[in-house]
Amino acid sequence: MNFNQWLAKLSGSRLYLWAFGIIYTYMFMMTSVVEIPHGVIVSVIVKVVALGLVGFKLCFLDRFSPREILFVVLFALILLLSYYQSGSSDMLVVAVMCLGAKNVNFRSICQITLYIGSALLAILLVLSLAKVIPNYVYGNRNSFGISYTTDFAAHVFYLACTYVYLRFDVLKWWDFCLVAFLMFFVQYFTHTDVDVISLLILLVIMIVYKFRISWSKHFKPVLIFLRTCWIWLLIFPGLIIGLSMKYDASNAAFARLNDIISNRLYYGSYAFTSYGVRLFGQPVLQSGWGGANGYDIYHNAANQVTYFFIDSSYINVLVKFGLALSILFLYLFLFTAIKDTKRNNFKIPLVLLVIFASSCIDQHLFELAFNPFVLVIFANHRHLSKSQRLRKSSTKKQGAVLHAKK
């Protein structure tokens, strides 16, 4: 068998899913308290294997039009400049996995995320309760084997989003009960308000999607909301960036809002005044309370002096990786959401709405260990179900309004 025949028998999607499973498992474990032996060597091996498989798929199994090649070159150029300026390879890994998701079924990516993520989170939780691994407790907030309590809550939130996306078209009463249970679980054991509110928004979105057909016939705002939900992908970043830039500690309203969202405005404002925004980013030194070192810092009297972390995903990327990369990714998310909305495929835009709301004061938007939906901008997810069609009474054409399967 020659090389071309061998290539013809290879499945690019299967190759990518293996690569994603490997790197997702590794990155998930990196958010835990488990110390991986020879961590640097393992990190290099995992990234070389996973990204090597994805690179092989891109070079030998995928086909690109001249327009797509031009975009990939521009994308790569911006990424390399951001990597050089920021000194961080995090976005390079995300970008390669995004590009490699071309022609891969996004549902398969979500299934791998849900199965592996849920299993690992449950195992870590049990091991932490059995005191096999540490359960870092911050006051009355538990981390359950994850490096920080908010990271545990974020895992629950993103896995819930993944589960709901896979179940959108067959939602039952127990699905709503499960999300409600997770919301109360996160509130009781971690007191992470951002993920509690995000899960509540997800629950509302589930209800809207479940009854979208009957409600849209009698209540026009529901249909308007569905057709314009992509706008929130602009509103949320603009809102938190604008508030952080204009933050004034002497203003009572700003001070109250900053207190409600746990100093996010203060640290966002500090990031802008201390570092500013550059076209291709810059190194940003941050010190949080995650992991063993952060746990010690938290319980030290000097914790307020040493702590500095940019929790907002938008401000984090904007300051650290630059304006060019931030605009590019925002464009890709918007392009995906608008295109799906025009096809009446509301699932991805609605899930992105929830994730973008959370990302105002949560830093995990571009972290593969948490958020598989960053891969949707290139993955294949635009499959319509014939059973999801709805006819408009005002037109004679068949299938005037298609209600989304995605």
Side-chain angles (χ1 to χ4, degrees), residues 147-173:
S147 60
Y148 190 51
T149 180
T150 58
D151 288 344
F152 175 84
H155 275 304
V156 174
F157 165 66
Y158 280 104
L159 287 172
C161 287
T162 306
Y163 173 82
V164 169
Y165 170 74
L166 293 171
R167 293 280 301 171
F168 250 139
D169 286 323
V170 289
L171 287 172
K172 305 296 182 183
W173 64 267

Side-chain angles (χ1 to χ4, degrees), residues 215-230:
W215 287 3
S216 62
K217 290 179 180 178
H218 308 290
F219 194 53
K220 280 190 175 181
V222 172
L223 190 58
I224 294 172
F225 168 74
L226 290 171
R227 294 196 180 281
T228 60
C229 59
W230 60 268

Side-chain angles (χ1 to χ4, degrees), residues 73-112:
V73 171
L74 176 63
F75 194 25
L77 180 62
I78 293 175
L79 279 164
L80 290 173
L81 289 170
S82 294
Y83 165 66
Y84 176 76
Q85 291 291 102
S86 68
S88 173
S89 63
D90 293 346
M91 292 299 285
L92 279 177
V93 175
V94 173
V96 171
M97 295 304 296
C98 283
L99 289 172
K102 176 180 168 66
N103 297 325
V104 178
N105 190 330
F106 184 65
R107 288 186 64 86
S108 298
I109 295 174
C110 286
Q111 287 168 347
I112 290 174

Side-chain angles (χ1 to χ4, degrees), residues 326-346:
S326 299
I327 291 175
L328 179 59
F329 267 108
L330 180 59
Y331 164 77
L332 291 171
F333 277 120
L334 277 172
F335 178 81
T336 300
I338 292 172
K339 193 170 183 179
D340 278 12
T341 303
K342 286 181 177 179
R343 296 178 176 183
N344 298 292
N345 297 347
F346 301 119

Side-chain angles (χ1 to χ4, degrees), residues 120-149:
L120 290 177
L121 197 64
I123 291 170
L124 291 169
L125 187 149
V126 172
L127 290 177
S128 69
L129 293 177
K131 298 184 178 179
V132 176
I133 59 175
N135 172 26
Y136 295 138
V137 179
Y138 302 81
N140 58 354
R141 307 171 69 197
N142 297 269
S143 65
F144 292 126
I146 301 299
S147 60
Y148 190 51
T149 180

Side-chain angles (χ1 to χ4, degrees), residues 106-393:
F106 184 65
R107 288 186 64 86
S108 298
I109 295 174
C110 286
Q111 287 168 347
I112 290 174
T113 301
L114 184 63
Y115 297 152
I116 295 177
S118 299
L120 290 177
L121 197 64
I123 291 170
L124 291 169
L125 187 149
V126 172
L127 290 177
S128 69
L129 293 177
K131 298 184 178 179
V132 176
I133 59 175
N135 172 26
Y136 295 138
V137 179
Y138 302 81
N140 58 354
R141 307 171 69 197
N142 297 269
S143 65
F144 292 126
I146 301 299
S147 60
Y148 190 51
T149 180
T150 58
D151 288 344
F152 175 84
H155 275 304
V156 174
F157 165 66
Y158 280 104
L159 287 172
C161 287
T162 306
Y163 173 82
V164 169
Y165 170 74
L166 293 171
R167 293 280 301 171
F168 250 139
D169 286 323
V170 289
L171 287 172
K172 305 296 182 183
W173 64 267
W174 56 80
D175 297 313
F176 296 92
C177 291
L178 175 60
V179 174
F181 168 77
L182 293 175
M183 182 174 64
F184 287 110
F185 180 89
V186 168
Q187 172 60 29
Y188 187 81
F189 289 104
T190 74
H191 296 276
T192 309
D193 293 338
V194 60
D195 292 294
V196 172
I197 295 172
S198 299
L199 286 168
L200 179 60
I201 296 173
L202 179 63
L203 193 59
V204 172
I205 290 297
M206 291 168 65
I207 295 171
V208 171
Y209 190 85
K210 175 69 175 178
F211 300 103
R212 70 197 183 283
I213 296 177
S214 58
W215 287 3
S216 62
K217 290 179 180 178
H218 308 290
F219 194 53
K220 280 190 175 181
V222 172
L223 190 58
I224 294 172
F225 168 74
L226 290 171
R227 294 196 180 281
T228 60
C229 59
W230 60 268
I231 293 175
W232 292 97
L233 275 61
L234 281 172
I235 293 175
F236 288 128
L239 186 64
I240 191 65
I241 291 172
L243 287 173
S244 298
M245 285 183 166
K246 295 292 185 180
Y247 173 70
D248 180 3
S250 63
N251 184 291
F254 271 117
R256 177 58 180 162
L257 180 59
N258 180 60
D259 184 59
I260 291 173
I261 60 176
S262 304
N263 279 339
R264 260 69 169 196
L265 290 184
Y266 168 77
Y267 290 117
S269 175
Y270 182 84
F272 284 127
T273 55
S274 299
Y275 292 96
V277 178
R278 299 183 182 179
L279 187 60
F280 297 109
Q282 62 201 302
V284 177
L285 298 177
Q286 300 186 66
S287 176
W289 290 336
N293 292 334
Y295 186 70
D296 291 337
I297 292 172
Y298 175 82
H299 289 88
N300 188 289
N303 67 72
Q304 294 297 334
V305 178
T306 57
Y307 183 89
F308 169 63
F309 200 86
I310 308 172
D311 289 288
S312 171
S313 294
Y314 313 119
I315 299 175
N316 204 334
V317 173
L318 185 60
V319 173
K320 187 174 182 179
F321 295 102
L323 182 63
L325 195 62
S326 299
I327 291 175
L328 179 59
F329 267 108
L330 180 59
Y331 164 77
L332 291 171
F333 277 120
L334 277 172
F335 178 81
T336 300
I338 292 172
K339 193 170 183 179
D340 278 12
T341 303
K342 286 181 177 179
R343 296 178 176 183
N344 298 292
N345 297 347
F346 301 119
K347 287 198 288 188
I348 289 298
L350 288 174
V351 174
L352 288 179
L353 182 156
V354 181
I355 291 173
F356 268 56
S358 173
S359 297
C360 284
I361 49 178
D362 178 274
Q363 77 274 18
H364 301 300
L365 178 61
F366 293 100
E367 296 181 19
L368 288 178
F370 295 88
N371 181 24
F373 288 89
V374 70
L375 304 175
V376 78
I377 55 182
F378 288 105
N380 180 18
H381 64 279
R382 299 179 182 96
H383 300 293
L384 281 173
S385 170
K386 293 180 181 179
S387 63
Q388 297 301 314
R389 294 182 178 179
L390 178 69
R391 302 174 189 272
K392 281 185 178 179
S393 59

